[in-house]
Amino acid sequence: MKSEEDELKDFFLEMKKGDASREVPPLAKLLLQQKQQKLPVWAVVAATINIILFVGGFWYRSLQPAEVVDALPHVDTPPSIDQNSDMMTWETPTDKLLTNF
């Protein structure tokens, strides 16, 4: 009976034999195929329109006057939450587990 290591060796030897039987295409053929792949015309037109709209949007935005915000007078209001309330203090959730009863 074959060990697991021998089975792995046989498996990879079969893979190497299969790879060796394949023909590798010449580089010139691969480069020619790569050059033939072009973007469709509609993709180029869509990208151009997007760029024009993006730049035009920034240009239009720069022509708009800046918004002026009127400053409201500062009014002192009493705090609505008491500073000594339980909401203003934080206690870890496990502190209650550590206290002696």
Side-chain angles (χ1 to χ4, degrees):
M1 185 167 197
K2 289 185 174 182
S3 69
E4 188 174 328
E5 186 175 333
D6 291 337
E7 289 178 12
L8 282 174
K9 284 181 182 179
D10 291 342
F11 173 75
F12 284 111
L13 282 174
E14 288 176 22
M15 287 186 68
K16 284 182 182 180
K17 289 177 186 176
D19 288 343
S21 65
R22 292 185 182 169
E23 183 181 329
V24 179
L27 182 62
K29 183 178 178 183
L30 290 175
L31 290 177
L32 182 62
Q33 288 176 355
Q34 184 68 25
K35 287 181 182 179
Q36 290 176 352
Q37 295 176 354
K38 293 183 180 180
L39 288 175
V41 173
W42 62 266
V44 175
V45 170
T48 305
I49 290 172
N50 281 329
I51 291 171
I52 290 171
L53 289 175
F54 185 74
V55 171
F58 274 110
W59 177 72
Y60 178 74
R61 179 77 184 220
S62 68
L63 294 179
Q64 300 298 318
E67 294 181 21
V68 178
V69 178
D70 293 333
L72 297 175
H74 179 69
V75 178
D76 288 329
T77 58
S80 60
I81 298 176
D82 183 21
Q83 294 294 328
N84 295 328
S85 71
D86 290 337
M87 289 177 65
M88 301 308 282
T89 59
W90 184 79
E91 185 177 316
T92 61
T94 56
D95 278 350
K96 294 176 184 173
L97 300 173
L98 297 175
T99 58
N100 293 330
F101 294 102

